[in-house]
Amino acid sequence: MDDAHAPGTPLNRGALADQDFLSATGIARLEVVDSTGSTNADLLHSVTMEPKSWPDLSVLTAEYQTAARGRLDRKWEAPPLSAVSVSIVLRPANAEGRPLPTQTYSWLSLLAAVALRETLLETAGIPAELKWPNDVLVRGRKIAGILAQLGPMGDGSVPPVILGTGLNVNLSSAELPVPTATSVALEQPRTVDRTLLLKSYLSNFAVLYRSFCNADGDPAAGMAGGPSLHKRVEAVMVTLGKQVKAHLPGDHEIIGRATRLDDYGSLLVVDGSAHEHVVTAGDVVHLRPWTPPGQASEQGTESGYA
């Protein structure tokens, strides 16, 4: 597909409301709105005011977001009908209804990234990788971001998680927010049908999420008839094995090799003194590739760390 702007078409609300689709995925509620500030902000408000109206796997998607936010309150915006902008209410519990430990919640955005990667590969025919902690890359460029936010404790029950995903679909290169971004339309896709992409993502996510919940949030447990979430994430994470500089609050920096993820989905970075640092998604401000002075930069990594 060439770089010319191809306007998107509206989501097929009938296809999204199909009972067979909703039953197969276990989606309890799916709402489509034409425009909103932020689907995550809307759901955070809704689960606070009407918690019983928004059970586990309730979905809100918007044709256009005017005030979407990424990590650390970074602004994220795309033209109308050009992206998949979707948020999901999660109330993680196993098959017996026992809530998952909240320390497992840090894996939910990584689980969503794996599901979105599967969608891009299966539905659009596009290879994708993960960049820790919450980005999906295609050929080193960011195509999607994922943001998990903790909801209110409410009546003392386990707090819900609002999991938001923004996928660039029909953006031309001129419409991309930064030069290191890309969109489905720019990657020779099999399809740019946002309804198909959204349904595929929700289906893939639901399978992995249910498996993760039924394993009590254990990232080392085999899931959905295959490897564990931990192994699935590490296998497609471009960050691992690279020299990185982690910018932390207070102008603190850690430079070293990103080696692996720990049991909580945090990134382990080994510095020049062989000391292992734990970098959590909630703390890191930026994670960028780092090249020692006087050495050539690693080919193909620079654009992936926006």
Side-chain angles (χ1 to χ4, degrees):
M1 183 169 295
D2 64 31
D3 197 33
H5 175 63
T9 54
L11 291 167
N12 183 332
R13 301 191 187 204
L16 292 171
D18 178 68
Q19 284 304 311
D20 289 341
F21 165 67
L22 297 176
S23 297
T25 54
I27 291 173
R29 176 177 180 178
L30 195 156
E31 300 287 336
V32 183
V33 295
D34 291 330
S35 176
T36 188
S38 159
T39 54
N40 259 36
D42 288 354
L43 283 185
L44 281 168
H45 177 76
S46 295
V47 298
T48 303
M49 304 305 292
E50 309 173 84
K52 289 184 170 49
S53 299
W54 296 91
D56 186 43
L57 286 177
S58 294
V59 175
L60 177 64
T61 185
E63 300 281 23
Y64 177 47
Q65 288 192 115
T66 60
R69 296 285 170 180
R71 287 183 60 250
L72 306 175
D73 223 25
R74 294 170 186 147
K75 197 167 187 299
W76 184 88
E77 189 173 352
L81 309 180
S82 69
V84 167
S85 305
V86 60
S87 296
I88 311 172
V89 178
L90 303 177
R91 301 179 184 275
N94 67 11
E96 287 77 47
R98 186 169 62 251
L100 267 57
T102 52
Q103 62 262 33
T104 68
Y105 284 13
S106 55
W107 283 98
L108 293 170
S109 57
L110 292 168
L111 186 151
V114 170
L116 187 58
R117 177 188 176 273
E118 290 180 2
T119 286
L120 289 170
L121 195 58
E122 297 165 0
T123 306
I126 297 173
E129 297 175 305
L130 276 53
K131 178 206 160 188
W132 189 89
N134 70 327
D135 291 345
V136 180
L137 310 180
V138 173
R139 295 180 251 273
R141 296 178 179 273
K142 181 175 176 177
I143 200 167
I146 294 161
L147 177 66
Q149 294 179 276
L150 201 60
M153 293 294 289
D155 55 3
S157 60
V158 178
V161 175
I162 309 301
L163 186 68
T165 299
L167 170 67
N168 297 332
V169 181
N170 285 300
L171 283 83
S172 68
S173 57
E175 292 170 323
L176 294 171
V178 290
T180 52
T182 189
S183 70
V184 174
L186 295 175
E187 299 294 339
Q188 293 75 53
R190 196 178 296 145
T191 182
V192 290
D193 186 321
R194 293 185 306 128
T195 305
L196 279 181
L197 292 167
L198 176 56
K199 288 182 70 175
S200 173
Y201 169 60
L202 292 173
S203 296
N204 286 328
F205 178 82
V207 169
L208 294 176
Y209 173 66
R210 186 53 53 214
S211 188
F212 182 67
C213 287
N214 288 342
D216 294 310
D218 179 3
M223 61 189 306
S228 68
L229 179 59
H230 196 290
K231 286 182 178 176
R232 291 180 195 222
V233 170
E234 286 198 337
V236 296
M237 183 159 281
V238 71
T239 315
L240 300 181
K242 299 282 173 54
Q243 290 286 339
V244 298
K245 179 189 287 187
H247 295 259
L248 303 175
D251 290 330
H252 185 52
E253 291 181 347
I254 297 170
I255 295 175
R257 184 166 292 274
T259 56
R260 62 190 178 94
L261 301 181
D262 70 8
D263 292 344
Y264 304 103
S266 300
L267 185 68
L268 300 181
V269 178
V270 178
D271 66 19
S273 303
H275 180 73
E276 191 172 65
H277 300 265
V278 178
V279 182
T280 66
D283 283 341
V284 70
V285 178
H286 285 293
L287 186 80
R288 301 189 187 282
W290 182 78
T291 304
Q295 290 188 19
S297 62
E298 293 182 53
Q299 182 68 29
T301 60
E302 188 66 38
S303 66
Y305 291 80

